Amino acid sequence: MSTASPDALPPVWFSKNISPTLQRIRQVKRSGRYRVLASHTSPDAGYLGAADHGFVEPPMPSAAAYLDYVLQTVQKHNIAALVAGRYAAHLAQHRAEIGAAGCHLIVPSTDPASFERCEDKAHFYQTFAEHIPMPETRPVQNWPQMLAAARELEAKYGSACIKPACGIFGIGFRILTEGDDLKYFLSGNPLRLSYPAAELLFKDQELPVMLVMETLPGFEYSIDVLARGGELLTCVIRRKLVGLGNLQTAVEHPQMREWTALLCRELQMDGLFNAQFREDKHGQPKLLEVNARASGGLPISAALSGLDLGLLEVDSHFGVPLGDLTFAAGRRVTESQEVIALPAKVL
């Protein structure tokens, strides 16, 4: 750990992002190698209090306005590296301008197009289906198409499911069933939707592109990945288990690691990102999606591997030797809630 005064350390700025930012900030600050700044559009964001300096980002009318704000903030605080969440794809298009201001831009990919490729799952499936096993999928935009595709896949695989082609956090995902809406509602199961209820919801509606897919009943895997310049540096393959709470274990899976390395190369990944797989009824893992961002499960991967992935990401951009990135699989962990004190005042 460095003994330098915090003011003498290179400032690293974490802009508005999702929940795992708290642990990333803690890891980077604990190293003693950096001074950490953090911002969010809300003063109530839990991770602001973990930084050396927290501040509120102003409302922005556009991505272009946000770029101007970033450049001004980089100059004002002499930022050495920006770990960007908000408008990450747009900032990636302007990497040269940010670099000219003396700041490393840390986002999941060096290729701005990769953000859109990951966001549009219909296009993503078409691109990678020849290289990585995918669930059989039909893009649809109205109820008759959805019903026909669902019945076709149900006849072939036993069950069909739907989700928006663009979206995060599994929002809009439902497994289609013949009935029992009340039973699922009363039992707290939000993931089932009957065909009659789906018809009421979707019939005569102009829909965004939706995906109808085979339902995958096997183990789910979430892979937290650290890449640099399109190269896989390390990854934690988490298998989600049935048990009390969010029980997970780290596993070794050479084929899944090989597919992950392919994704790093093809998408020119350059930081932390996440890939989701699930097994079909035969135990074959199939790729569900790639998230061009650090996942909410990043703290679980850190606990399973012992690797400070957030710190490693920043170190990789400063040329700090990363050391041994291997770890033994097999550890099991679960989650518990944490209460976080907010700073008394955030400017």
Side-chain angles (χ1 to χ4, degrees):
M1 178 180 291
S2 172
T3 58
S5 164
D7 291 340
L9 299 173
V12 175
W13 172 24
F14 288 82
S15 64
K16 180 184 178 181
N17 217 320
I18 60 174
S19 58
T21 305
L22 172 63
Q23 187 180 65
R24 297 164 82 181
I25 288 173
R26 285 174 171 170
Q27 291 173 2
V28 172
K29 184 178 177 181
R30 189 169 58 235
S31 74
R33 291 195 284 274
Y34 309 98
R35 180 170 180 263
V36 180
L37 291 80
S39 61
H40 198 280
T41 52
S42 170
D44 301 328
Y47 63 71
L48 293 179
D52 294 300
H53 174 58
F55 56 98
V56 175
E57 297 182 18
M60 288 292 155
S62 66
Y66 191 70
L67 173 63
D68 291 340
Y69 168 73
V70 163
L71 293 172
Q72 293 167 12
T73 305
V74 165
Q75 183 177 31
K76 177 181 178 181
H77 295 284
N78 295 313
I79 301 296
L82 166 60
V83 184
R86 192 179 183 190
Y87 291 117
H90 184 73
L91 296 180
Q93 295 176 8
H94 297 272
R95 181 183 297 273
E97 294 169 59
I98 296 170
C103 177
H104 297 280
L105 177 64
I106 303 178
V107 292
S109 177
T110 58
D111 182 0
S114 289
F115 294 87
E116 185 175 351
R117 291 174 74 186
C118 293
E119 175 70 14
D120 184 351
K121 297 175 183 63
H123 182 253
F124 183 88
Y125 284 8
Q126 292 174 354
T127 302
F128 285 96
E130 294 183 3
H131 308 287
I132 302 174
M134 306 272 191
E136 190 167 349
T137 303
R138 304 283 186 273
V140 301
Q141 286 193 272
N142 57 54
W143 169 246
Q145 292 175 353
M146 182 182 291
L147 178 61
R151 290 303 190 188
E152 176 195 354
L153 295 176
E154 183 182 63
K156 189 172 182 179
Y157 297 103
S159 177
C161 58
I162 57 172
K163 68 178 182 181
C166 297
I168 61 173
F169 304 135
I171 295 172
F173 172 81
R174 295 293 186 274
I175 298 172
L176 294 171
T177 66
E178 292 301 333
D180 292 327
D181 289 289
L182 181 60
K183 181 185 77 173
Y184 294 126
F185 174 79
L186 294 176
S187 65
N189 187 336
L191 300 182
R192 306 276 174 168
L193 183 69
S194 71
Y195 281 98
E199 182 176 11
L200 287 173
L201 184 63
F202 296 121
K203 188 177 180 181
D204 300 325
Q205 297 291 329
E206 185 175 336
L207 303 178
V209 177
M210 300 284 292
L211 302 181
V212 183
M213 310 164 61
E214 62 171 296
T215 302
L216 302 176
F219 282 115
E220 183 179 353
Y221 298 85
S222 185
I223 308 180
D224 288 313
V225 190
L226 176 62
R228 187 76 172 95
E231 177 188 355
L232 170 64
L233 298 182
T234 191
C235 65
V236 182
I237 304 175
R238 297 185 272 121
R239 177 188 286 167
K240 301 183 180 182
L241 304 174
V242 177
L244 184 63
N246 187 15
L247 187 64
Q248 301 192 31
T249 186
V251 300
E252 293 182 4
H253 198 298
Q255 181 63 79
M256 227 180 290
R257 184 182 176 92
E258 184 178 322
W259 291 329
T260 302
L262 184 150
L263 291 168
C264 290
R265 292 192 301 271
E266 293 298 317
L267 296 169
Q268 281 300 292
M269 291 312 218
D270 196 50
L272 288 170
F273 73 98
N274 177 264
Q276 300 276 336
F277 286 80
R278 190 157 193 152
E279 293 176 352
D280 65 14
K281 62 183 180 182
H282 304 294
Q284 168 67 60
K286 296 186 176 182
L287 179 61
L288 295 175
E289 62 184 8
V290 172
N291 299 305
R293 55 175 172 78
S295 78
L298 196 66
I300 298 176
S301 284
L304 288 170
S305 66
L307 298 175
D308 286 343
L309 295 170
L311 173 61
L312 290 167
E313 178 185 46
V314 173
D315 279 347
S316 72
H317 284 262
F318 281 90
V320 177
L322 302 186
D324 183 7
L325 300 181
T326 62
F327 59 93
R331 181 181 294 180
R332 296 194 312 156
V333 301
T334 190
E335 286 184 301
S336 63
Q337 286 187 326
E338 178 182 1
V339 177
I340 302 168
L342 293 172
K345 186 177 182 181
V346 177
L347 300 178

